[in-house]
Amino acid sequence: KKLIEEILNLSNVEREGVTLQYSQVNLGKVINDALKLLGGSIDQKKMNIALNLPSELVIKGDEDRLIQVMVNLLANAISYSMNEKTIRIRIEEKDETVLIVVQDEGIGIEQAELGRLFERFYRVDRARSRDSGGTGLGLAIVKHLIEAHNGTVEVESELQVGTTIYIKLPKLYDL
């Protein structure tokens, strides 16, 4: 069922482009809403969340889609980290852009795999995806939604150390 929902979601994103419902979005609220949605998984694995967020950083964007992005990224960080590890989330404000950084202490990804990470249905390790319930679509959806916001997404990873995702978004204040 999850796979079908994600396929439909991604195919809608690709076919229709993404129709974003722009409004002023508080990024701290987006992150906190995503964390609430994943609270059960975080509690179950006794994970720590370290936040470094500006108090009132507002950008122009689609709040629901940005929550979806954060849920996908955080779900991966939770799935591929052992119990009692820390996920760090920080936001850095630049002149015209905002950088969102999600860093886990998970199993990491081999350098050779990083270039394909955002492809549809690509799984770094099929056994690993089977264990975590992954469909291979979450990061493809993340990439499409961030690009629809005129942003970029990049990844760095080291085996047995963890993975860091960097999302760069324009502020675009004028609504």
Side-chain angles (χ1 to χ4, degrees), residues 23-162:
S23 64
Q24 288 190 353
V25 177
N26 180 319
L27 286 179
K29 180 183 181 308
V30 164
I31 290 168
N32 284 315
D33 286 353
L35 288 168
K36 283 179 195 166
L37 290 169
L38 295 166
S41 298
I42 293 167
D43 291 344
Q44 183 178 6
K45 291 186 83 171
K46 298 181 175 90
M47 299 192 82
N48 300 304
I49 304 297
L51 297 174
N52 185 355
L53 311 176
S55 57
E56 289 295 320
L57 181 55
V58 176
I59 67 166
K60 181 173 139 182
D62 185 319
E63 183 171 358
D64 291 337
R65 296 298 193 161
L66 291 172
I67 291 170
Q68 181 180 8
V69 163
M70 293 308 300
V71 165
N72 282 349
L73 293 179
L74 292 169
N76 280 350
I78 294 164
S79 292
Y80 297 116
S81 294
M82 302 304 287
N83 292 352
E84 300 179 14
K85 293 294 184 179
T86 299
I87 297 172
R88 290 175 174 75
I89 306 164
R90 76 177 189 272
I91 297 177
E92 298 175 12
E93 189 174 2
K94 306 290 182 186
D95 291 334
E96 300 295 322
T97 62
V98 172
L99 180 67
I100 303 170
V101 182
V102 178
Q103 182 179 26
D104 67 41
E105 297 175 345
I107 59 177
I109 304 160
E110 288 188 38
Q111 296 300 307
E113 307 283 349
L114 292 179
R116 300 191 62 199
L117 201 58
F118 295 98
E119 293 178 14
R120 279 183 292 183
F121 301 112
Y122 185 71
R123 295 178 178 178
V124 171
D125 176 346
R126 295 201 183 281
R128 179 164 90 169
S129 297
R130 188 170 45 250
D131 292 343
S132 70
T135 61
L137 289 172
L139 290 178
I141 291 170
V142 165
K143 183 176 183 194
H144 280 286
L145 292 177
I146 293 302
E147 288 177 349
H149 280 86
N150 296 311
T152 59
V153 59
E154 296 178 10
V155 62
E156 290 179 355
S157 191
E158 187 175 338
L159 287 176
Q160 306 310 319
V161 174

